[in-house]
Amino acid sequence: MKQTVQDYSDLIESQYADPDANNGATDTEKELAKLNGVESDNSGASGLHVSDIDVSATVTSYSTSVDGASVLSEMTVRRTLVPEDGTTIVIAGERRDHLDSEYTETHLLELQGTAVSGYDVADDTIVNTNGSHSQPEASQDEDATGTSPALFAKARFARPAAHTAKPADNFTNGAGLNYVKAMQYAELWTDAAHKDKMNPKYPDYGDTNCTNFVSQAMEAGGLKTTSATVLNKNHEDVWTGFIWGTPKMSTRTWHNVEANYTYMSKYSKAFTVENNVQRIGGGGIVYGDWENDGTYDHAMIVVGYIGRGSKVGPVVCGKSNNTHDVPLADITGRHRGMKWKGLQWKP
């Protein structure tokens, strides 16, 4: 079973080098590999090309039946994305000549066969971090490849005219939040050395650390926390990772997606609402509703942008699952049923 999953992840990887790769796979496996490989990759539309790719998989759980098995597998995709002529990458205020992009997703694989005869992959569904499945409906109204520079210029700090690094002190807003420091924190704790780790200073919520991580980055950027007790920990106007008198307990606004959005938009004085997420620049926050059912259940930090001609688009980092320097267009492309809203860093 583990070998079947590994062979399938190898097939996805091989699609980038040779779309007609066989590797002894069935027609169904080849079609699924294309769907979850090059056909779900929107980097080309963002003005990037994949110069290196690695796909690895681990089996986290499974159940068997008389004619097959259901397997939950963590698949990690590592890509080196290089800009084409006319494309610019800026991360944490610095111009980059490539992106070392990595993300992990949970796949529900349906296998046919038996341990004796061998298994084939019959179906592959991406399972979202809140345990529900992504939907294949039409995507949101926004163009997944980005928006116009005129709109994006509203976040003037996100696309510096000189494309050079500046001292971090130049990027602190009236609420005390330095968006470069927040982005640097997000970059560090999602890189290859930290992809399976959370900062031990903070509470750890296991598979639901996305908003916890956003809050950590905001505090690292200088956004001041408030005091809180166990009596008011669910109030929308308090925000801290450490409730007084408790062992690493945080307020609801610290770790819950909707509560965090409410606090950041109404009480932090650090953000303005920007629901066209393609306009959001570095230091902003994007919130995702996986099922487009009105409940937002994922949050990530914008750490930079990709600019190509008249189009620009955010690059994001996040946790649960680990996401490092991934163009937001790739996520909207793989999860077309998602609805988005966001917060723009306020000068």
Side-chain angles (χ1 to χ4, degrees):
M1 183 182 303
K2 290 182 179 179
Q3 188 60 51
T4 300
V5 174
Q6 185 59 55
D7 289 344
Y8 177 64
S9 68
D10 289 343
L11 183 61
I12 294 176
E13 180 180 319
S14 70
Q15 294 292 328
Y16 287 85
D18 181 7
D20 297 320
N22 189 326
N23 291 358
T26 66
D27 290 341
T28 297
E29 287 173 329
K30 287 187 283 187
E31 288 302 314
L32 290 171
K34 287 181 181 179
L35 181 63
N36 289 283
V38 294
E39 291 185 2
S40 68
D41 186 347
N42 283 314
S43 55
S46 300
L48 306 169
H49 71 267
V50 179
S51 69
D52 191 27
I53 178 78
D54 176 74
V55 181
S56 61
T58 59
V59 173
T60 56
S61 65
Y62 65 91
S63 61
T64 59
S65 63
V66 293
D67 57 358
S70 295
V71 180
L72 280 178
S73 172
E74 297 290 321
M75 289 197 182
T76 298
V77 179
R78 303 176 185 89
R79 302 172 299 166
T80 300
L81 301 176
V82 178
E84 299 171 354
D85 290 343
T87 299
T88 301
I89 301 173
V90 175
I91 302 295
E94 298 179 337
R95 186 164 179 167
R96 302 273 180 91
D97 60 5
H98 71 282
L99 275 182
D100 289 320
S101 181
E102 178 177 329
Y103 61 88
T104 299
E105 291 181 318
T106 303
H107 290 244
L108 174 61
L109 303 177
E110 298 295 343
L111 309 185
Q112 291 180 340
T114 66
V116 175
S117 64
Y119 291 104
D120 297 318
V121 179
D123 197 13
D124 179 1
T125 304
I126 297 175
V127 180
N128 296 320
T129 52
N130 65 338
S132 58
H133 296 168
S134 61
Q135 297 177 343
E137 295 101 3
S139 68
Q140 61 186 70
D141 293 336
E142 327 304 348
D143 180 358
T145 63
T147 187
S148 70
L151 294 175
F152 200 75
K154 189 174 182 182
R156 57 182 176 83
F157 54 85
R159 189 170 188 171
H163 300 299
T164 56
K166 298 181 180 180
D169 288 346
N170 290 347
F171 298 106
T172 302
N173 67 8
L177 174 59
N178 183 300
Y179 76 91
V180 170
K181 290 181 179 180
M183 291 189 292
Q184 289 171 341
Y185 183 93
E187 285 273 289
L188 172 64
W189 282 96
T190 58
D191 69 11
H194 298 88
K195 67 184 185 69
D196 296 321
K197 300 177 181 178
M198 291 291 292
N199 189 336
K201 170 184 174 183
Y202 293 99
D204 189 336
Y205 293 97
D207 293 335
T208 56
N209 268 317
C210 64
T211 313
N212 177 24
F213 182 68
V214 166
S215 289
Q216 291 175 27
M218 295 303 109
E219 185 179 34
L223 189 61
K224 301 300 182 184
T225 59
T226 69
S227 60
T229 70
V230 292
L231 298 178
N232 68 351
K233 64 184 176 68
N234 292 328
H235 290 192
E236 63 181 20
D237 60 346
V238 295
W239 175 74
T240 181
F242 305 99
I243 296 175
W244 183 84
T246 67
K248 289 189 178 180
M249 179 184 291
S250 61
T251 59
R252 183 173 174 81
T253 55
W254 183 274
H255 61 261
N256 176 269
V257 178
E258 291 281 11
N260 181 266
Y261 177 83
T262 298
Y263 178 82
M264 293 298 176
S265 61
K266 288 185 176 182
Y267 301 101
S268 73
K269 300 180 181 179
F271 298 96
T272 58
V273 173
E274 178 53 83
N275 288 328
N276 181 347
V277 295
Q278 299 300 336
R279 301 182 186 183
I280 296 177
I285 308 173
V286 293
Y287 300 85
D289 172 2
W290 286 119
E291 304 292 349
N292 197 6
D293 61 2
T295 300
Y296 285 80
D297 35 36
H298 193 52
M300 293 178 291
I301 304 162
V302 176
V303 294
Y305 73 91
I306 299 166
R308 183 191 188 194
S310 63
K311 298 290 187 180
V312 292
V315 177
V316 296
C317 287
K319 286 288 189 182
S320 300
N321 290 325
N322 195 77
T323 301
H324 178 74
D325 284 358
V326 176
L328 187 62
D330 278 7
I331 298 173
T332 61
R334 292 196 305 276
H335 302 274
R336 294 187 178 274
M338 289 189 74
K339 184 177 179 181
W340 297 90
K341 62 183 178 181
L343 299 176
Q344 179 63 72
W345 186 88
K346 181 189 293 185

